[in-house]
Amino acid sequence: MNVSRYISNKIDGADSGSFTSSVTKIAIISIAMGLAVMVVSFAILEGFRNEIQNKIFSFGAHLQISKYDTNNSLEAAPIAGPRLVQELRQNPQVHTIQPFARKTAIIKTKEEVLGVVLKGITEEAGRSPMRQNLVAGQFLTFTDSAASNDVLLSRKVADKLRLRPGDKALFYFIQNPPRVRQFTVRGIYQTGLDEFDEAYVIGDLRQVRELNAWPDSLVGGMEVTVRDFNRLDPVADNLYESLRYDLKLDKITDQYAQLFDWLQLLNRNVIIFLILIIFVATFNMVATIFIMILERTNMIGVLKAVGATDNQIRSMFFFRGLSLTVRGMLYGNLIGLGFCAVQYFFHPIPLDPENYYMDRVPIYWDPFIIVVLNAATFLTSLLAVLIPTYLIARIKPVVAIKFD
């Protein structure tokens, strides 16, 4: 039988109603709330970052390849699509390849006029990531026989033009000669990002080809996603070296650098916040063990007098602190994961899309982060328990027995 653990269990019940009992409850609450806040903070941060990144990726993937041109116009010169796809598929780090083309236009309704960018897409290579942004109506209908006359408008553009799914609108394309097309609003999308919502209309790539008199083999560019976004820079460098001299490659992190820098800044702030939480929880645990030692000074003297070693007495308080830590972590996980589950499934906390780019607080489940947070809390709490127990070696039996 482990004597230190046995005595620790006995004093656990004996402390009820004492000052130590109140302090231990504060220590358990401190650990529980600290861990709960860390779990919720990381779940929301990762959810927020993933939501923003996915919205950006739905418009530009990870990499964009287009014709090298000194002209900064959104209407890039065409490139040979099949040849480029064949070259890109040779790289094992490439996950998906989606062709696209852009065309500037003016939308005219009975009451409003608005300049937009028509982005032509296709689903030949798989389902478009734009589907995740649909908030009303239906997605584009692609047929094999002819180009689709359906378009997707952002909620901002639709509200400005007073258009709803099923309505028709005239698109004027400024070129030589000018062209006019009547499109049907098939659906409404919303990303919450003004860079996209205020400018882009999504349509069929074949419409852009017809307007530009391109054959089926030409596209405006290619959107490429990689298998591991964390390795975007080395993969981009490798792809760039393999491209023809007349092609350029743009990383999404460079195109929207302000958004990715903002996300990185948020990540730093949360880490600093979490360090402060761990420090407070550690300080409370140190104070708790100190108080327990002071209240049990007489008992420590008696135990030393009957032959107990410093390590045995230290282990007794270590097991006591371990019990408090485990209970605090259990409550903390229940509170933190419970809150995340409620928000994930029922969305009780809304957000203003105008300011936060989404209509609810996002939650992202990352088991690895949860395990790391629990491990960090457990190790720092145990370290906090060990530090004050070394005071026991300085307690002398004669003085301790007389201590009051």
Side-chain angles (χ1 to χ4, degrees):
M1 182 180 65
N2 191 316
V3 177
S4 298
R5 183 176 298 177
Y6 175 78
I7 297 176
S8 176
N9 292 334
K10 287 296 183 181
I11 65 174
D12 190 6
D15 282 338
S16 59
S18 65
F19 177 69
T20 302
S21 176
S22 301
V23 174
T24 54
K25 289 178 182 177
I26 293 174
I28 292 174
I29 293 173
S30 176
I31 294 173
M33 295 308 298
L35 180 58
V37 169
M38 287 190 290
V39 169
V40 172
S41 298
F42 266 99
I44 293 176
L45 173 68
E46 289 300 310
F48 191 77
R49 185 167 62 180
N50 275 275
E51 285 282 334
I52 297 297
Q53 287 184 349
N54 289 337
K55 289 177 185 293
I56 298 173
F57 295 158
S58 67
F59 264 90
H62 298 159
L63 302 169
Q64 284 191 2
I65 299 174
S66 57
K67 191 85 168 181
Y68 182 80
D69 194 349
T70 55
N71 184 8
N72 291 325
S73 172
L74 291 171
E75 299 184 34
I79 59 178
R83 177 183 174 184
L84 180 58
V85 169
Q86 187 176 6
E87 294 173 357
L88 292 173
R89 292 202 182 281
Q90 296 176 0
N91 192 310
Q93 295 299 322
V94 172
H95 185 223
T96 64
I97 306 168
Q98 290 282 0
F100 74 94
R102 290 187 287 248
K103 188 78 174 173
T104 55
I106 295 175
I107 305 178
K108 183 179 184 302
T109 62
K110 293 181 180 180
E111 300 176 347
E112 301 290 341
V113 175
L114 185 67
V116 297
V117 178
L118 174 65
K119 181 180 179 180
I121 64 172
T122 178
E123 288 198 329
E124 294 175 0
R127 288 170 62 87
S128 170
M130 272 299 300
R131 287 179 177 271
Q132 69 185 26
N133 300 321
L134 198 66
V135 294
Q138 298 178 339
F139 199 70
L140 303 178
T141 301
F142 296 96
T143 61
D144 296 332
S145 57
S148 173
N149 288 322
D150 295 337
V151 293
L152 299 180
L153 303 183
S154 72
R155 186 178 291 281
K156 283 193 173 183
V157 171
D159 289 342
K160 288 179 181 178
L161 298 175
R162 302 177 185 178
L163 293 173
R164 296 293 178 265
D167 293 344
K168 299 183 183 298
L170 292 176
F171 282 62
Y172 291 82
F173 297 93
I174 310 303
Q175 58 187 71
N176 191 16
R179 301 284 183 90
V180 182
R181 291 286 189 275
Q182 180 175 268
F183 293 136
T184 302
V185 179
R186 183 72 172 176
I188 307 294
Y189 76 85
Q190 182 178 20
T191 66
L193 301 171
D194 291 342
E195 290 86 346
F196 307 133
D197 290 354
E198 291 186 350
Y200 281 93
V201 173
I202 308 301
D204 192 336
L205 174 61
R206 288 172 294 184
Q207 287 286 1
V208 180
R209 284 191 180 125
E210 291 179 4
L211 290 165
N212 291 331
W214 291 351
D216 291 344
S217 59
L218 295 183
V219 297
M222 290 290 179
E223 294 178 340
V224 180
T225 61
V226 300
R227 297 189 183 279
D228 185 2
F229 179 69
N230 294 323
R231 299 191 66 251
L232 180 64
D233 289 339
V235 173
D237 293 339
N238 182 264
L239 282 176
Y240 180 75
E241 293 297 327
S242 65
L243 291 178
R244 300 192 306 272
Y245 72 93
D246 60 337
L247 298 178
K248 66 175 182 177
L249 184 146
D250 296 315
K251 293 183 292 186
I252 196 72
T253 51
D254 293 335
Q255 290 179 297
Y256 303 102
Q258 70 279 8
L259 289 174
F260 284 95
D261 289 344
W262 174 53
L263 292 175
Q264 190 64 31
L265 180 62
L266 283 177
N267 195 30
R268 276 196 224 103
N269 290 342
V270 169
I271 291 174
I272 294 173
F273 176 63
L274 297 182
I275 291 174
L276 292 175
I277 292 176
I278 291 177
F279 173 79
V280 171
T282 302
F283 177 82
N284 286 339
M285 181 58 73
V286 170
T288 300
I289 300 300
F290 265 124
I291 293 171
M292 290 171 57
I293 291 173
L294 289 175
E295 283 208 335
R296 294 289 174 176
T297 302
N298 284 6
M299 185 189 73
I300 293 172
V302 172
L303 290 174
K304 283 192 172 186
V306 298
T309 64
D310 289 338
N311 285 336
Q312 287 178 320
I313 301 174
R314 189 179 295 120
S315 297
M316 180 183 70
F317 287 97
F318 172 79
F319 286 124
R320 185 77 174 96
L322 180 62
S323 174
L324 300 179
T325 300
V326 171
R327 275 188 278 179
M329 290 179 60
L330 176 62
Y331 296 143
N333 280 296
L334 288 175
I335 295 171
L337 297 178
F339 175 88
C340 291
V342 170
Q343 178 62 26
Y344 183 80
F345 289 108
F346 303 106
H347 318 302
I349 303 178
L351 291 176
D352 181 6
E354 294 293 330
N355 296 320
Y356 296 98
Y357 310 118
M358 58 197 73
D359 58 359
R360 63 181 184 272
V361 173
I363 297 294
Y364 179 78
W365 298 100
D366 190 340
F368 175 75
I369 290 294
I370 295 173
V371 171
V372 169
L373 290 176
N374 276 270
T377 303
F378 185 74
L379 292 176
T380 52
S381 296
L382 290 189
L383 180 62
V385 169
L386 289 173
I387 291 174
T389 58
Y390 283 92
L391 177 66
I392 294 170
R394 304 181 62 179
I395 297 177
K396 300 186 182 302
V398 176
V399 178
I401 292 173
K402 295 179 179 180
F403 181 81
D404 187 2

mmCIF file of all heavy atoms in Angstrom, residues 118-154:
data_model
loop_
_atom_site.group_PDB
_atom_site.id
_atom_site.type_symbol
_atom_site.label_atom_id
_atom_site.label_comp_id
_atom_site.label_asym_id
_atom_site.label_seq_id
_atom_site.Cartn_x
_atom_site.Cartn_y
_atom_site.Cartn_z
ATOM 1 N N LEU A 118 -17.618 39.413 -64.216
ATOM 2 C CA LEU A 118 -18.181 38.085 -64.430
ATOM 3 C C LEU A 118 -17.042 37.077 -64.405
ATOM 4 O O LEU A 118 -16.133 37.127 -65.232
ATOM 5 C CB LEU A 118 -18.924 38.019 -65.766
ATOM 6 C CG LEU A 118 -19.442 36.635 -66.174
ATOM 7 C CD1 LEU A 118 -20.512 36.142 -65.200
ATOM 8 C CD2 LEU A 118 -19.989 36.668 -67.607
ATOM 9 N N LYS A 119 -17.100 36.167 -63.447
ATOM 10 C CA LYS A 119 -16.089 35.110 -63.356
ATOM 11 C C LYS A 119 -16.696 33.810 -63.870
ATOM 12 O O LYS A 119 -17.649 33.282 -63.285
ATOM 13 C CB LYS A 119 -15.611 34.930 -61.911
ATOM 14 C CG LYS A 119 -14.540 33.853 -61.774
ATOM 15 C CD LYS A 119 -14.071 33.696 -60.350
ATOM 16 C CE LYS A 119 -13.011 32.594 -60.244
ATOM 17 N NZ LYS A 119 -12.532 32.408 -58.865
ATOM 18 N N GLY A 120 -16.140 33.300 -64.954
ATOM 19 C CA GLY A 120 -16.615 32.060 -65.519
ATOM 20 C C GLY A 120 -15.934 30.859 -64.894
ATOM 21 O O GLY A 120 -14.707 30.833 -64.774
ATOM 22 N N ILE A 121 -16.731 29.895 -64.463
ATOM 23 C CA ILE A 121 -16.187 28.696 -63.837
ATOM 24 C C ILE A 121 -16.773 27.463 -64.520
ATOM 25 O O ILE A 121 -17.686 27.561 -65.341
ATOM 26 C CB ILE A 121 -16.493 28.644 -62.326
ATOM 27 C CG1 ILE A 121 -18.016 28.544 -62.085
ATOM 28 C CG2 ILE A 121 -15.914 29.849 -61.615
ATOM 29 C CD1 ILE A 121 -18.385 28.291 -60.628
ATOM 30 N N THR A 122 -16.265 26.302 -64.170
ATOM 31 C CA THR A 122 -16.779 25.035 -64.671
ATOM 32 C C THR A 122 -16.677 23.999 -63.569
ATOM 33 O O THR A 122 -15.898 24.170 -62.628
ATOM 34 C CB THR A 122 -15.985 24.573 -65.905
ATOM 35 O OG1 THR A 122 -16.495 23.307 -66.336
ATOM 36 C CG2 THR A 122 -14.508 24.405 -65.567
ATOM 37 N N GLU A 123 -17.462 22.962 -63.686
ATOM 38 C CA GLU A 123 -17.391 21.867 -62.711
ATOM 39 C C GLU A 123 -16.913 20.581 -63.377
ATOM 40 O O GLU A 123 -17.170 19.480 -62.891
ATOM 41 C CB GLU A 123 -18.749 21.656 -62.034
ATOM 42 C CG GLU A 123 -19.113 22.764 -61.063
ATOM 43 C CD GLU A 123 -20.200 22.358 -60.086
ATOM 44 O OE1 GLU A 123 -21.044 21.539 -60.450
ATOM 45 O OE2 GLU A 123 -20.193 22.882 -58.939
ATOM 46 N N GLU A 124 -16.184 20.713 -64.464
ATOM 47 C CA GLU A 124 -15.659 19.541 -65.154
ATOM 48 C C GLU A 124 -14.663 18.787 -64.283
ATOM 49 O O GLU A 124 -14.543 17.568 -64.358
ATOM 50 C CB GLU A 124 -14.990 19.958 -66.466
ATOM 51 C CG GLU A 124 -15.968 20.535 -67.493
ATOM 52 C CD GLU A 124 -15.254 21.050 -68.716
ATOM 53 O OE1 GLU A 124 -14.008 20.952 -68.759
ATOM 54 O OE2 GLU A 124 -15.931 21.537 -69.643
ATOM 55 N N ALA A 125 -13.915 19.527 -63.457
ATOM 56 C CA ALA A 125 -12.881 18.899 -62.627
ATOM 57 C C ALA A 125 -13.374 18.604 -61.204
ATOM 58 O O ALA A 125 -12.598 18.226 -60.347
ATOM 59 C CB ALA A 125 -11.638 19.792 -62.563
ATOM 60 N N GLY A 126 -14.675 18.802 -60.942
ATOM 61 C CA GLY A 126 -15.209 18.549 -59.604
ATOM 62 C C GLY A 126 -16.130 19.663 -59.158
ATOM 63 O O GLY A 126 -16.234 20.714 -59.802
ATOM 64 N N ARG A 127 -16.817 19.450 -58.042
ATOM 65 C CA ARG A 127 -17.763 20.428 -57.521
ATOM 66 C C ARG A 127 -17.046 21.715 -57.150
ATOM 67 O O ARG A 127 -15.993 21.704 -56.520
ATOM 68 C CB ARG A 127 -18.478 19.877 -56.294
ATOM 69 C CG ARG A 127 -19.483 18.777 -56.625
ATOM 70 C CD ARG A 127 -19.974 18.097 -55.362
ATOM 71 N NE ARG A 127 -20.664 19.009 -54.487
ATOM 72 C CZ ARG A 127 -21.956 19.286 -54.567
ATOM 73 N NH1 ARG A 127 -22.698 18.723 -55.499
ATOM 74 N NH2 ARG A 127 -22.533 20.120 -53.721
ATOM 75 N N SER A 128 -17.634 22.823 -57.540
ATOM 76 C CA SER A 128 -17.024 24.119 -57.258
ATOM 77 C C SER A 128 -17.100 24.439 -55.770
ATOM 78 O O SER A 128 -18.139 24.216 -55.134
ATOM 79 C CB SER A 128 -17.730 25.217 -58.054
ATOM 80 O OG SER A 128 -17.324 26.498 -57.630
ATOM 81 N N PRO A 129 -16.008 24.964 -55.184
ATOM 82 C CA PRO A 129 -16.057 25.364 -53.772
ATOM 83 C C PRO A 129 -16.996 26.541 -53.521
ATOM 84 O O PRO A 129 -17.325 26.843 -52.376
ATOM 85 C CB PRO A 129 -14.604 25.742 -53.464
ATOM 86 C CG PRO A 129 -13.985 26.058 -54.786
ATOM 87 C CD PRO A 129 -14.671 25.175 -55.778
ATOM 88 N N MET A 130 -17.463 27.199 -54.593
ATOM 89 C CA MET A 130 -18.401 28.305 -54.439
ATOM 90 C C MET A 130 -19.752 27.843 -53.880
ATOM 91 O O MET A 130 -20.521 28.648 -53.354
ATOM 92 C CB MET A 130 -18.634 28.999 -55.785
ATOM 93 C CG MET A 130 -17.648 30.100 -56.108
ATOM 94 S SD MET A 130 -17.688 31.432 -54.901
ATOM 95 C CE MET A 130 -19.380 31.982 -55.050
ATOM 96 N N ARG A 131 -20.044 26.555 -53.977
ATOM 97 C CA ARG A 131 -21.322 26.048 -53.485
ATOM 98 C C ARG A 131 -21.508 26.320 -51.991
ATOM 99 O O ARG A 131 -22.636 26.484 -51.529
ATOM 100 C CB ARG A 131 -21.429 24.545 -53.763
ATOM 101 C CG ARG A 131 -21.653 24.192 -55.226
ATOM 102 C CD ARG A 131 -21.724 22.692 -55.428
ATOM 103 N NE ARG A 131 -22.008 22.337 -56.806
ATOM 104 C CZ ARG A 131 -23.223 22.178 -57.332
ATOM 105 N NH1 ARG A 131 -24.285 22.357 -56.559
ATOM 106 N NH2 ARG A 131 -23.387 21.853 -58.594
ATOM 107 N N GLN A 132 -20.412 26.351 -51.236
ATOM 108 C CA GLN A 132 -20.517 26.540 -49.791
ATOM 109 C C GLN A 132 -20.981 27.941 -49.428
ATOM 110 O O GLN A 132 -21.426 28.180 -48.295
ATOM 111 C CB GLN A 132 -19.163 26.274 -49.134
ATOM 112 C CG GLN A 132 -18.109 27.322 -49.462
ATOM 113 C CD GLN A 132 -16.740 26.979 -48.913
ATOM 114 O OE1 GLN A 132 -16.426 25.819 -48.706
ATOM 115 N NE2 GLN A 132 -15.929 27.991 -48.663
ATOM 116 N N ASN A 133 -20.899 28.890 -50.374
ATOM 117 C CA ASN A 133 -21.282 30.277 -50.087
ATOM 118 C C ASN A 133 -22.722 30.592 -50.477
ATOM 119 O O ASN A 133 -23.186 31.715 -50.288
ATOM 120 C CB ASN A 133 -20.346 31.240 -50.827
ATOM 121 C CG ASN A 133 -18.896 31.071 -50.405
ATOM 122 O OD1 ASN A 133 -18.607 30.860 -49.238
ATOM 123 N ND2 ASN A 133 -17.977 31.152 -51.361
ATOM 124 N N LEU A 134 -23.439 29.619 -51.037
ATOM 125 C CA LEU A 134 -24.805 29.852 -51.511
ATOM 126 C C LEU A 134 -25.747 30.064 -50.327
ATOM 127 O O LEU A 134 -25.772 29.273 -49.386
ATOM 128 C CB LEU A 134 -25.261 28.654 -52.341
ATOM 129 C CG LEU A 134 -26.470 28.871 -53.255
ATOM 130 C CD1 LEU A 134 -26.133 29.875 -54.354
ATOM 131 C CD2 LEU A 134 -26.910 27.548 -53.860
ATOM 132 N N VAL A 135 -26.528 31.148 -50.367
ATOM 133 C CA VAL A 135 -27.461 31.451 -49.275
ATOM 134 C C VAL A 135 -28.909 31.512 -49.744
ATOM 135 O O VAL A 135 -29.824 31.532 -48.916
ATOM 136 C CB VAL A 135 -27.081 32.783 -48.579
ATOM 137 C CG1 VAL A 135 -25.745 32.672 -47.881
ATOM 138 C CG2 VAL A 135 -27.081 33.948 -49.570
ATOM 139 N N ALA A 136 -29.134 31.554 -51.046
ATOM 140 C CA ALA A 136 -30.498 31.598 -51.568
ATOM 141 C C ALA A 136 -30.500 31.056 -52.992
ATOM 142 O O ALA A 136 -29.515 31.162 -53.719
ATOM 143 C CB ALA A 136 -31.064 33.023 -51.543
ATOM 144 N N GLY A 137 -31.637 30.496 -53.393
ATOM 145 C CA GLY A 137 -31.736 29.954 -54.739
ATOM 146 C C GLY A 137 -30.948 28.667 -54.905
ATOM 147 O O GLY A 137 -30.724 27.924 -53.950
ATOM 148 N N GLN A 138 -30.491 28.425 -56.128
ATOM 149 C CA GLN A 138 -29.746 27.216 -56.458
ATOM 150 C C GLN A 138 -28.442 27.556 -57.146
ATOM 151 O O GLN A 138 -28.224 28.693 -57.569
ATOM 152 C CB GLN A 138 -30.593 26.301 -57.363
ATOM 153 C CG GLN A 138 -31.879 25.807 -56.712
ATOM 154 C CD GLN A 138 -32.695 24.958 -57.659
ATOM 155 O OE1 GLN A 138 -32.544 25.036 -58.878
ATOM 156 N NE2 GLN A 138 -33.576 24.133 -57.100
ATOM 157 N N PHE A 139 -27.573 26.542 -57.244
ATOM 158 C CA PHE A 139 -26.287 26.751 -57.907
ATOM 159 C C PHE A 139 -26.487 26.711 -59.420
ATOM 160 O O PHE A 139 -27.550 26.338 -59.927
ATOM 161 C CB PHE A 139 -25.289 25.684 -57.467
ATOM 162 C CG PHE A 139 -23.855 26.061 -57.736
ATOM 163 C CD1 PHE A 139 -23.243 27.068 -56.999
ATOM 164 C CD2 PHE A 139 -23.123 25.441 -58.733
ATOM 165 C CE1 PHE A 139 -21.938 27.440 -57.248
ATOM 166 C CE2 PHE A 139 -21.818 25.795 -58.980
ATOM 167 C CZ PHE A 139 -21.216 26.797 -58.243
ATOM 168 N N LEU A 140 -25.445 27.102 -60.146
ATOM 169 C CA LEU A 140 -25.489 27.123 -61.605
ATOM 170 C C LEU A 140 -25.809 25.736 -62.155
ATOM 171 O O LEU A 140 -25.368 24.716 -61.619
ATOM 172 C CB LEU A 140 -24.149 27.597 -62.172
ATOM 173 C CG LEU A 140 -23.643 28.972 -61.721
ATOM 174 C CD1 LEU A 140 -22.287 29.251 -62.341
ATOM 175 C CD2 LEU A 140 -24.628 30.058 -62.107
ATOM 176 N N THR A 141 -26.566 25.713 -63.241
ATOM 177 C CA THR A 141 -26.871 24.469 -63.925
ATOM 178 C C THR A 141 -26.004 24.379 -65.178
ATOM 179 O O THR A 141 -26.128 25.204 -66.094
ATOM 180 C CB THR A 141 -28.360 24.409 -64.321
ATOM 181 O OG1 THR A 141 -29.160 24.533 -63.148
ATOM 182 C CG2 THR A 141 -28.683 23.088 -65.009
ATOM 183 N N PHE A 142 -25.108 23.401 -65.220
ATOM 184 C CA PHE A 142 -24.222 23.223 -66.361
ATOM 185 C C PHE A 142 -24.781 22.133 -67.273
ATOM 186 O O PHE A 142 -25.186 21.068 -66.806
ATOM 187 C CB PHE A 142 -22.815 22.826 -65.904
ATOM 188 C CG PHE A 142 -22.120 23.886 -65.097
ATOM 189 C CD1 PHE A 142 -22.152 23.856 -63.705
ATOM 190 C CD2 PHE A 142 -21.440 24.917 -65.716
ATOM 191 C CE1 PHE A 142 -21.521 24.836 -62.961
ATOM 192 C CE2 PHE A 142 -20.805 25.904 -64.974
ATOM 193 C CZ PHE A 142 -20.843 25.857 -63.598
ATOM 194 N N THR A 143 -24.816 22.424 -68.569
ATOM 195 C CA THR A 143 -25.280 21.445 -69.547
ATOM 196 C C THR A 143 -24.159 21.128 -70.531
ATOM 197 O O THR A 143 -23.204 21.898 -70.679
ATOM 198 C CB THR A 143 -26.497 21.988 -70.313
ATOM 199 O OG1 THR A 143 -26.112 23.184 -71.020
ATOM 200 C CG2 THR A 143 -27.642 22.298 -69.363
ATOM 201 N N ASP A 144 -24.290 20.002 -71.210
ATOM 202 C CA ASP A 144 -23.266 19.597 -72.179
ATOM 203 C C ASP A 144 -23.462 20.256 -73.535
ATOM 204 O O ASP A 144 -22.523 20.367 -74.324
ATOM 205 C CB ASP A 144 -23.286 18.070 -72.359
ATOM 206 C CG ASP A 144 -22.921 17.336 -71.079
ATOM 207 O OD1 ASP A 144 -22.170 17.922 -70.276
ATOM 208 O OD2 ASP A 144 -23.395 16.197 -70.885
ATOM 209 N N SER A 145 -24.686 20.699 -73.794
ATOM 210 C CA SER A 145 -25.000 21.183 -75.141
ATOM 211 C C SER A 145 -24.617 22.643 -75.370
ATOM 212 O O SER A 145 -24.100 22.998 -76.423
ATOM 213 C CB SER A 145 -26.495 20.989 -75.422
ATOM 214 O OG SER A 145 -27.269 21.665 -74.435
ATOM 215 N N ALA A 146 -24.871 23.501 -74.393
ATOM 216 C CA ALA A 146 -24.634 24.934 -74.602
ATOM 217 C C ALA A 146 -24.252 25.598 -73.288
ATOM 218 O O ALA A 146 -24.402 25.025 -72.207
ATOM 219 C CB ALA A 146 -25.891 25.588 -75.178
ATOM 220 N N ALA A 147 -23.751 26.839 -73.411
ATOM 221 C CA ALA A 147 -23.372 27.599 -72.221
ATOM 222 C C ALA A 147 -24.611 27.950 -71.410
ATOM 223 O O ALA A 147 -25.667 28.274 -71.962
ATOM 224 C CB ALA A 147 -22.628 28.862 -72.625
ATOM 225 N N SER A 148 -24.480 27.895 -70.098
ATOM 226 C CA SER A 148 -25.594 28.208 -69.212
ATOM 227 C C SER A 148 -25.805 29.714 -69.128
ATOM 228 O O SER A 148 -24.841 30.496 -69.094
ATOM 229 C CB SER A 148 -25.318 27.642 -67.815
ATOM 230 O OG SER A 148 -26.310 28.068 -66.899
ATOM 231 N N ASN A 149 -27.059 30.121 -69.116
ATOM 232 C CA ASN A 149 -27.402 31.540 -68.958
ATOM 233 C C ASN A 149 -27.647 31.908 -67.500
ATOM 234 O O ASN A 149 -28.110 33.013 -67.215
ATOM 235 C CB ASN A 149 -28.654 31.870 -69.782
ATOM 236 C CG ASN A 149 -28.373 31.875 -71.266
ATOM 237 O OD1 ASN A 149 -27.317 32.322 -71.703
ATOM 238 N ND2 ASN A 149 -29.318 31.364 -72.049
ATOM 239 N N ASP A 150 -27.362 30.995 -66.587
ATOM 240 C CA ASP A 150 -27.544 31.259 -65.160
ATOM 241 C C ASP A 150 -26.338 31.989 -64.588
ATOM 242 O O ASP A 150 -25.192 31.775 -65.025
ATOM 243 C CB ASP A 150 -27.735 29.952 -64.392
ATOM 244 C CG ASP A 150 -29.015 29.227 -64.793
ATOM 245 O OD1 ASP A 150 -29.927 29.907 -65.293
ATOM 246 O OD2 ASP A 150 -29.075 27.993 -64.608
ATOM 247 N N VAL A 151 -26.581 32.827 -63.593
ATOM 248 C CA VAL A 151 -25.500 33.502 -62.869
ATOM 249 C C VAL A 151 -25.816 33.506 -61.383
ATOM 250 O O VAL A 151 -26.986 33.376 -60.982
ATOM 251 C CB VAL A 151 -25.283 34.957 -63.354
ATOM 252 C CG1 VAL A 151 -24.759 35.003 -64.764
ATOM 253 C CG2 VAL A 151 -26.575 35.776 -63.208
ATOM 254 N N LEU A 152 -24.765 33.656 -60.589
ATOM 255 C CA LEU A 152 -24.893 33.844 -59.147
ATOM 256 C C LEU A 152 -24.488 35.267 -58.810
ATOM 257 O O LEU A 152 -23.404 35.719 -59.202
ATOM 258 C CB LEU A 152 -23.997 32.866 -58.376
ATOM 259 C CG LEU A 152 -24.236 31.366 -58.537
ATOM 260 C CD1 LEU A 152 -23.236 30.591 -57.680
ATOM 261 C CD2 LEU A 152 -25.653 30.999 -58.151
ATOM 262 N N LEU A 153 -25.330 35.969 -58.076
ATOM 263 C CA LEU A 153 -25.009 37.312 -57.603
ATOM 264 C C LEU A 153 -24.706 37.254 -56.116
ATOM 265 O O LEU A 153 -25.242 36.419 -55.388
ATOM 266 C CB LEU A 153 -26.177 38.271 -57.834
ATOM 267 C CG LEU A 153 -26.708 38.446 -59.257
ATOM 268 C CD1 LEU A 153 -27.817 39.488 -59.270
ATOM 269 C CD2 LEU A 153 -25.599 38.836 -60.215
ATOM 270 N N SER A 154 -23.847 38.152 -55.675
ATOM 271 C CA SER A 154 -23.651 38.275 -54.230
ATOM 272 C C SER A 154 -24.869 38.963 -53.629
ATOM 273 O O SER A 154 -25.630 39.644 -54.329
ATOM 274 C CB SER A 154 -22.389 39.084 -53.929
ATOM 275 O OG SER A 154 -22.600 40.451 -54.239
#
